[in-house]
Amino acid sequence: MTLITALPDLDQLQIRGRGNAASAFAVSDLACLSIGAVGLELAALLQRLGAKPAPVTVDRPLANHWFKYSFRPSGWELPNPWDDIAGIYQSKDGWIRLHTNLPHHKQAALLVLGCAASKAAVSAAVATWDADRLEAEIHAAGGVAATLRSSAEWLNHPQGHALAQEPLIAWQNPRKITLRTRPEATPVQPLKGLRVLDLTRVLAGPVASRTLAGLGAEVLRIDPPGWDEPGVLQDIALGKRMATLDLKSIAGRDRLAELMEHADVVVHGYRPGALDGLGFDLQTRDTHAANRIEVTLNAYGWSGPWAQRRGFDSLVQLSTGIAEAGQRWAKTDTPHPLPYQALDHATGFLMAAAVLSALNTAAKGLPVANAHLSLARTALSLQQLPVNSDQAPLAAPDDADFSTTLEQSAWGPGHRLKSPLFVGETSLQWARPARQSGSDAPKWQPELR
């Protein structure tokens, strides 16, 4: 088996159940294929642990439900994950989406618009701008926004052209690594003992590390002090230890260096060069964490003029033509997004598959490179999937789709969706409930001596 670079074929998987989420695109197939990619790499790992070859089964309805939200509160309500002024606005010449969930992104947008922090004020201000100019000004101010483009416009855009030359999963800087022995690993928990350093936030990277935790990995996520993701952490903090470090301080960076030195896997979402500014350039990482597997992502790809541009799933959908095609498909007057954040979730599962692929490759004594993925490249793969209309509409999740075990999350009790993936007797299972940022100390468990 070589390192994974693309989505698998549906005929490599056993698909259980039926249903298509309503969309102009094959989002339900994307859900099955990206989760199935984890399963195929997991199957190879399980055989190394002595398990017999087993089929990879993906539950199609559950795969779709996991792409939307995995946790159902019991007796309380989730907070709204969206800021009051986040959303799609009409400019002088088109549509633009503002993403203002993070305070500094909101501040940047309001600074450029020069208006009050209300939906009405923002709407009036945006209407006076050309969309492309406003997009550029907000990004220059440190914010994030995206103009609505068609697929053809995106492919003719310099970034779209550059992105089309990239593989879905790109492997760079190969090196020989030595894997630690993990005698505690079993077919039920094949990643038991694997130390995963999670330096990611909303949303794809956390999906990747949540998946690895579901296979038994010891995941330690590092956030800035005071960090929160309302309505999101309940979904993606599952199975992890949640710590904070101030990476602007010497003590914080020194502690991160110690954690990285003992990590088997580093998953991060820093844009090109961002880790360099913290003192963790590639040479430093290779020196102090020579045996790590590294998987990373960004929004718009790793080449081209937008390689360092900030972005989120909802923005990439506008940039790449997905929302414009959805508008035509739905016959609406406004841009029409996917039924869930499919780019985030698919990229996250593919990142987890890349980690498993790297583990399998390293176990053979072959060089392993660092995996690079992007939301925009996942968008291109979705756009290239054939749409199969031979499915009934996807039904909403019901009680039978959730575990009967009550999960005591840090915010309140609830039930978690059942595993969407099975490789023989192995499925995704989590030992820890979802926790808030800062709930744990920034150290490996059990402590290293």
Side-chain angles (χ1 to χ4, degrees):
M1 179 179 286
T2 58
L3 288 165
I4 180 174
T5 58
L7 289 169
D9 295 324
L10 277 174
D11 59 13
Q12 293 178 265
L13 311 170
Q14 290 191 359
I15 305 298
R16 187 169 70 191
R18 296 176 59 78
N20 267 345
S23 176
F25 297 93
V27 289
S28 295
D29 284 348
L30 180 67
C32 291
L33 291 171
S34 55
I35 292 174
V38 175
L40 293 170
E41 298 298 333
L42 174 60
L45 176 63
L46 289 171
Q47 289 184 54
R48 286 203 297 109
L49 293 174
K52 295 180 180 179
V56 175
T57 301
V58 177
D59 186 296
R60 187 179 181 93
L62 281 172
N64 279 270
H65 301 332
W66 273 93
F67 264 47
K68 191 168 186 179
Y69 207 85
S70 69
F71 186 69
R72 186 173 68 180
S74 179
W76 58 283
E77 293 185 2
L78 289 163
N80 184 355
W82 292 102
D83 176 72
D84 289 345
I85 66 170
I88 297 173
Y89 294 87
Q90 190 157 28
S91 70
K92 285 169 58 177
D93 61 347
W95 294 95
I96 187 168
R97 184 171 191 122
L98 308 183
H99 198 293
T100 55
N101 284 5
L102 299 181
H104 60 290
H105 290 163
K106 183 174 184 176
Q107 183 180 8
L110 293 175
L111 178 67
V112 171
L113 291 169
C115 69
S118 72
K119 199 84 172 179
V122 170
S123 181
V126 170
T128 67
W129 284 77
D130 293 328
D132 284 349
R133 180 169 167 245
L134 180 57
E135 177 189 59
E137 292 286 343
I138 288 176
H139 277 276
V144 282
T147 298
L148 181 70
R149 293 177 174 84
S150 69
S151 297
E153 288 171 334
W154 175 245
L155 290 174
N156 287 324
H157 188 278
Q159 187 59 34
H161 181 74
L163 187 79
Q165 316 307 312
E166 297 182 14
L168 179 62
I169 304 176
W171 298 88
Q172 300 176 5
N173 306 110
R175 66 191 193 287
K176 195 74 172 289
I177 69 173
T178 301
L179 298 176
R180 284 190 309 110
T181 57
R182 295 184 292 108
E184 60 268 60
T186 67
V188 175
Q189 289 193 303
L191 297 187
K192 186 74 172 177
L194 189 79
R195 294 192 287 262
V196 178
L197 185 61
D198 180 3
L199 304 178
T200 67
R201 281 171 281 282
V202 202
L203 182 61
V207 168
S209 53
R210 181 187 67 187
T211 304
L212 299 175
L215 297 173
E218 169 67 20
V219 176
L220 177 62
R221 171 167 151 157
I222 303 297
D223 290 323
W227 184 263
D228 192 15
E229 295 168 22
V232 177
L233 287 181
Q234 293 87 346
D235 185 31
I236 51 82
L238 177 64
K240 308 176 188 182
R241 295 191 187 276
M242 302 287 290
T244 60
L245 283 174
D246 180 6
L247 299 184
K248 296 180 181 179
S249 71
I250 294 175
R253 292 193 295 273
D254 287 347
R255 185 64 184 142
L256 181 63
E258 294 173 7
L259 294 172
M260 193 176 291
E261 182 179 353
H262 295 286
D264 301 304
V265 177
V266 176
V267 182
H268 69 87
Y270 287 96
R271 290 173 292 125
L275 275 176
D276 299 22
L278 294 172
F280 296 96
D281 60 22
L282 181 60
Q283 183 177 356
T284 300
R285 302 198 301 276
D286 285 347
T287 299
H288 295 289
N291 290 313
R292 80 195 184 285
I293 289 168
E294 183 172 316
V295 177
T296 185
L297 82 153
N298 69 5
Y300 284 103
W302 296 89
S303 59
W306 283 12
Q308 296 198 31
R309 174 166 285 211
R310 302 170 184 87
F312 296 93
D313 182 310
S314 58
L315 300 179
V316 173
Q317 288 189 42
L318 259 75
S319 297
T320 59
I322 286 176
E324 190 273 340
Q327 179 178 345
R328 288 186 282 107
W329 171 82
K331 298 180 174 62
T332 61
D333 295 330
T334 58
H336 190 78
L338 299 174
Y340 38 60
Q341 292 179 282
L343 308 182
D344 266 329
H345 287 275
T347 305
F349 282 108
L350 289 168
M351 292 171 72
V355 170
L356 295 170
S357 183
L359 285 172
N360 288 323
T361 300
K364 299 175 185 177
L366 299 174
V368 175
N370 300 332
H372 292 71
L373 298 89
S374 72
L375 301 181
R377 185 57 184 81
T378 300
L380 179 60
S381 288
L382 172 60
Q383 290 166 304
Q384 293 171 337
L385 286 177
V387 177
N388 177 14
S389 59
D390 187 26
Q391 292 277 351
L394 183 71
D398 59 26
D399 290 347
D401 293 317
F402 290 87
S403 170
T404 57
T405 301
L406 195 65
E407 179 183 324
Q408 296 292 345
S409 83
W411 301 266
H415 294 273
R416 191 71 58 171
L417 285 169
K418 294 176 180 178
S419 175
L421 174 67
F422 301 86
V423 181
E425 299 297 319
T426 304
S427 62
L428 297 173
Q429 304 176 43
W430 290 269
R432 301 185 188 94
R435 297 160 67 85
Q436 295 171 327
S437 293
S439 297
D440 300 282
K443 59 185 180 182
W444 294 113
Q445 294 289 342
E447 288 194 66
L448 303 177
R449 303 193 182 276

